[in-house]
Amino acid sequence: MTTLTWTEAAPGVWRTRIGDSQALSPLALVGAVPRMKALERMAQAAPPFQWNDIRVEAAGGGRRLLVLPLTADEKLHGTGLQFMRMNQRGRTRYLRVNSDPKQDTGETHAPVPFYVSDRGYGVLIDSARAITMHLGSAVRLDETCQADVRDRNRDAGWKATPPSSRAEIRLPEEGADVYVFSGPALADAVSRYNLFCGGGVLPPKWGLGFWHRVPALFSAEEAMAEALEFRHRDYPCDVIGLEPGWHTRSYPATYEWDRERFPDPEGFVRGMLDNGFRVNLWEHPYVSPESGLYGPLKPLSGDYSVWGGLVPDYSLPEARELYAKQHKEKHIDIGISGYKLDECDGSELTNNAWIFPEHASFPSGLDGEQMRQLYGLMFQKMTNDLYRADNRRTYGLVRASNAAASSLPYVLYSDLYEHKHFIRALCNSSFSGLLWSPEVRRARSAEDWIRRMQTVCFSPLAMLNAWGDGTKPWSFPEAEPVIRRYIKLRMRLLPYLYTAFARYKETGLPPFRAMPFVVSPEELVRAEERRSAEMTLNTTDGAYGKRSIPQWDDQFMIGDQLLVAPLVEGEEEREVLLPAGSWIGFETGERYEGGGIIRVRAGIETIPVFVRDGAVIPMTAALPHALRPGEQAPLEFVHFGAAAGECELYDDDGVTLDHEHGACGWWKAVVTKSEDGIYKGELSGPAALPASYGSVSWSFARMGLDLHGK
Ligand code: GAL
C-alpha cells in the first residue's frame, strides 16, 4: 500500500501523481489554462471522505489499483458519452474509444475517465490509456458480507451484481495523475472540472442555429439550391455541411476540392455566406496517397494504414504544421466555418471493422492505444487553434473525445440511432464536459420524424444529417408546420441559449444538465421508486429476469429555467419529474406544482417543455439565420406565471474571440410586481441595450407561448 500525497492544484481541485509524469495526457494535450478566478469564487468544501481513505493497492498481474471508498447508496455519473445508463454505480467501465458502442461496457466515442458522485465530488484519471474503472462492481473476498450471499433458487432478492463499497480503478502501468474535485454538490464538482479544463465553450452565435448536411455527392450547385430552398420555404438555417464528396477522393481523404463538383470553392463559400449560410466540411484522419499531404506526412505517420491511407502522428509539431498550412490555405482562408471530424474513433468489433491496432507505433513514441484514445482531442485542438489564430470562433462536430474537452468547440454525434439512447446521451454528456447532438437522419414515420426533430431543436447542435438519405425538413409534408415551428422556436430562444453557454464558459455549469444537477439525491431516490413508467430490461440483468431501476435519464434542463421532457415515437404521454417550485407548460400554459412526478399528455405537435413560474426568458425574432456582427434584432423578455423574477443576458459580437479580452457584457432583466398587481420590467447593464438588439419589449405573466399563431 502506498501513501499518496495530495496537493491543491487549484481551489477545490487536488492532484496526486502515481508513477511517472506522463508527457501526453488529455490535460497536457488540450493545454487549457484553469480559470482560477472563477474557481476561487466558488464556496470551498472538502470531499466527503478522508484523504487516507484513497489508496493505491497492488493487484494481480503486477497491476496497481487506485481504491476509493463508496457508501451504500452512492450513485456515480459520468465516464463520458454513455448511451446505456446514467448511474454507473455497480458497473465495470472499460473506457476505450469505440465507434460502435452498442453494448454497455463503457466503451464509447468519448470515454472520459472522470466520474462524479451524488455525494458531491469528482475523480479524474488523466491518462492517454484506456482506463478500466470498477465502480463498485468488484467485491473482495475479505469484504464479502455473508448476509448478502443469497440463494437464487429461492430468493427473489438475489442480485447478479452484489454491491461493493470500493471503486477500484486499474492504473496504467506507467502511472497517471489523479485529480479529486470537491463539491459540495454534484453540480459544483462538475463546474470545478470544467473550470479546471479551461471553462466551458462559448460557440459562435451561428453555431446555435439550425444545421443541414447535404447528400455525400452533392455538387456546389446542388448544395446551393438546397440551401436556398430553406430560405424559400421559410425554414431558418445557419450551416450547410458538405460530406465526403467535396474531396477529390475519400476513404482515405485528400482534403482537396473536387473541381468537377466544386469548380470554384471560393465563389461557392462566398455565395453561401452572402445568403447567410456557413459551410462546414466533413473529413477524417486518413490521408489518401492522392493527397498533396501524403508525401510530406508519410515519415510522420504510424506504421499501419487505414483504408490504405496514412495515420498521421499529430502529436508531432511538424505534422501539425503541414495539416494546418493546407487547411488554412484551402479552407479557412476562403471562409469555411469549421469541420466535422469523423472517424477519429474506430472499432474492431463491427462487421466492417476498421482502425489501426493498439500495437501500432508512431514516430513520437506513442502507441496505437494512446493514439486511439487521444486522436479525437488532437483534431479538436488542431482545428480550434487554427481558428483562434485568426481571431475567429469555430463550432463543429467530432466523433471521438476524452477528458479535458470542456473548452473545445465540438459536439459529438454517432451512427447509432436509438432515440431514447440519444436523449440519455444528452443527459450523460453534461457530467463530463461534453456536448452531444441527437442528430436526425431518416425516420420510420412522420411521428418518428417529428419526435426526433423536437428533441434535436432542444440540444447543443440542432442538425439534420442527410448525408445518406437526402431527407429535408420538409420531407414529411404532413409534419411541415410542426417542424418549422420548432426550428423557429429554437431561433427565438437564441438569446437564452447563448447566455446559458456564456455561463458555462464563466462558471463551468453546463448549459444542458441532467436531473442530478437540480434535484437532491434523496428526492431522486424517492422519485425513482415511484416511477411507474414503462421500465426497460437491460441486457445484463435481463438474463436473470431483473428489471433495471428506472432513472430520470430521459429529461433535462436547459439553463436554470427550462425543463425538456421529450417523447419518442409511439408515446403520447409520460411521467416528468419536476423539481420543487411552480412550473408552467411552456406551450400549453398549464400550471404544475413541482417537487414530484407529474403525468403529461402531448400529441405529436408538442414536446413537453416546462418553464419555472417567474422565469424571465430572453427571446428574439425567428430570424432566417443567427445575427451576424453589426446586425440587430428585436429583444423580447417573456415573463411567465405570477411570481416576480429576473434573468441574465449575455452579448458580444458572436464570432470573434474579443470577448476573451472584455468585449462583451452581461445585462440583468428584473420583473417586479407592485401591490396592485402591476408588473414592470427593467433592464440594466453596461449600455441601455446590448449591441445585437435594436429594441426591447416585455410581456408579463404569460401562461405559455402562443406558438401556434406564429
Ligand atoms: C460516417 C458519419 C456519417 C457520414 C458518413 C459519410 O462515418 O458518421 O455522419 O458523415 O460517415 O461517409
Side-chain angles (χ1 to χ4, degrees), residues 79 81-84 94-112 130 286 342-356 358 368-369 371-376 398-402 412-416 436:
T79 67
L81 186 76
Q82 299 296 338
F83 292 92
M84 304 299 182
Y94 179 35
L95 299 175
R96 187 169 84 138
V97 171
N98 184 340
S99 58
D100 193 36
K102 287 203 185 91
Q103 288 197 335
D104 190 17
T105 58
E107 288 172 272
T108 166
H109 302 280
V112 180
Y286 314 110
D342 203 19
E343 286 143 352
C344 43
D345 45 19
S347 168
E348 291 90 354
L349 305 175
T350 44
N351 287 338
N352 48 356
W354 54 272
I355 190 61
F356 48 94
E358 292 192 342
E369 178 192 351
M371 197 58 92
R372 281 162 72 154
Q373 292 297 107
L374 295 179
Y375 228 23
V398 69
R399 227 177 59 186
S401 198
N402 201 317
L412 290 148
Y413 63 98
S414 176
D415 278 349
L416 301 183
W436 159 254

Side-chain angles (χ1 to χ4, degrees), residues 311-332:
V311 184
D313 183 345
Y314 289 121
S315 72
L316 300 170
E318 312 90 277
R320 289 203 296 273
E321 270 160 36
L322 288 166
Y323 173 98
K325 187 166 181 293
Q326 196 272 353
H327 278 55
K328 182 167 160 46
E329 278 174 22
K330 302 284 191 235
H331 319 148
I332 295 180

Side-chain angles (χ1 to χ4, degrees), residues 243-244 251 282 340 342-343 399 413 415 465 467:
E243 288 285 319
Y251 291 82
W282 173 97
K340 167 173 168 180
D342 203 19
E343 286 143 352
R399 227 177 59 186
Y413 63 98
D415 278 349
N465 178 12
W467 78 275

Side-chain angles (χ1 to χ4, degrees), residues 213-507:
R213 307 198 72 84
V214 298
L217 293 179
F218 257 31
S219 65
E221 225 173 292
E222 288 167 310
M224 178 61 91
E226 186 140 307
L228 292 177
E229 209 168 342
F230 274 78
R231 299 286 180 256
H232 295 145
R233 289 176 176 261
D234 189 26
Y235 284 90
C237 184
D238 267 276
V239 182
I240 293 292
L242 302 183
E243 288 285 319
W246 72 269
H247 295 251
T248 48
R249 295 268 191 284
S250 73
Y251 291 82
T254 58
Y255 315 109
E256 287 160 12
W257 292 94
D258 180 281
R259 294 287 167 165
E260 266 173 41
R261 283 187 286 269
F262 293 86
D264 171 20
E266 205 169 337
F268 166 71
V269 177
R270 204 179 325 111
M272 282 286 189
L273 284 169
D274 289 346
N275 284 291
F277 298 100
R278 315 266 161 171
V279 179
N280 173 285
L281 296 182
W282 173 97
E283 68 168 45
H284 69 193
Y286 314 110
V287 184
S288 161
E290 309 274 332
S291 167
L293 280 172
Y294 189 89
L297 278 174
K298 196 166 179 210
L300 307 171
S301 295
D303 54 355
Y304 285 78
S305 63
V306 172
W307 295 310
L310 299 174
V311 184
D313 183 345
Y314 289 121
S315 72
L316 300 170
E318 312 90 277
R320 289 203 296 273
E321 270 160 36
L322 288 166
Y323 173 98
K325 187 166 181 293
Q326 196 272 353
H327 278 55
K328 182 167 160 46
E329 278 174 22
K330 302 284 191 235
H331 319 148
I332 295 180
D333 286 352
I334 67 166
I336 290 299
S337 70
Y339 295 93
K340 167 173 168 180
L341 304 168
D342 203 19
E343 286 143 352
C344 43
D345 45 19
S347 168
E348 291 90 354
L349 305 175
T350 44
N351 287 338
N352 48 356
W354 54 272
I355 190 61
F356 48 94
E358 292 192 342
H359 57 260
S361 58
F362 289 84
S364 62
L366 290 178
D367 62 33
E369 178 192 351
Q370 293 166 308
M371 197 58 92
R372 281 162 72 154
Q373 292 297 107
L374 295 179
Y375 228 23
L377 275 185
M378 276 183 201
F379 280 91
Q380 293 179 62
K381 164 86 175 140
M382 262 197 313
T383 44
N384 188 36
D385 281 354
L386 272 172
Y387 283 95
R388 290 188 63 87
D390 228 11
N391 192 27
R392 274 158 73 182
R393 275 182 253 173
T394 183
Y395 198 48
L397 293 143
V398 69
R399 227 177 59 186
S401 198
N402 201 317
S406 318
S407 70
L408 295 169
Y410 282 92
V411 183
L412 290 148
Y413 63 98
S414 176
D415 278 349
L416 301 183
Y417 205 46
E418 178 65 44
H419 191 180
K420 285 212 176 189
H421 292 179
F422 271 28
I423 298 165
R424 185 180 298 122
L426 213 166
C427 298
N428 281 342
S429 57
S430 66
F431 299 116
S432 302
L434 301 173
L435 298 172
W436 159 254
S437 172
E439 66 169 39
V440 181
R441 300 195 291 266
R442 65 196 144 67
R444 285 183 289 248
S445 62
E447 183 188 356
D448 184 32
W449 180 250
I450 290 175
R451 290 308 193 194
R452 288 177 182 274
M453 280 290 209
Q454 288 169 335
T455 303
V456 91
C457 284
F458 288 96
S459 82
L461 197 148
M463 181 170 73
L464 174 53
N465 178 12
W467 78 275
D469 39 44
T471 46
K472 307 164 203 333
W474 48 92
S475 282
F476 290 85
E478 65 274 40
E480 270 212 64
V482 186
I483 304 299
R484 186 183 288 110
R485 182 153 60 79
Y486 280 105
I487 299 178
K488 287 195 169 187
L489 177 56
R490 182 174 177 94
M491 297 308 288
R492 294 189 62 204
L493 283 169
L494 285 190
Y496 179 77
L497 266 180
Y498 195 56
T499 301
F501 272 96
R503 198 144 172 252
Y504 184 31
K505 174 189 149 221
E506 298 287 336
T507 68

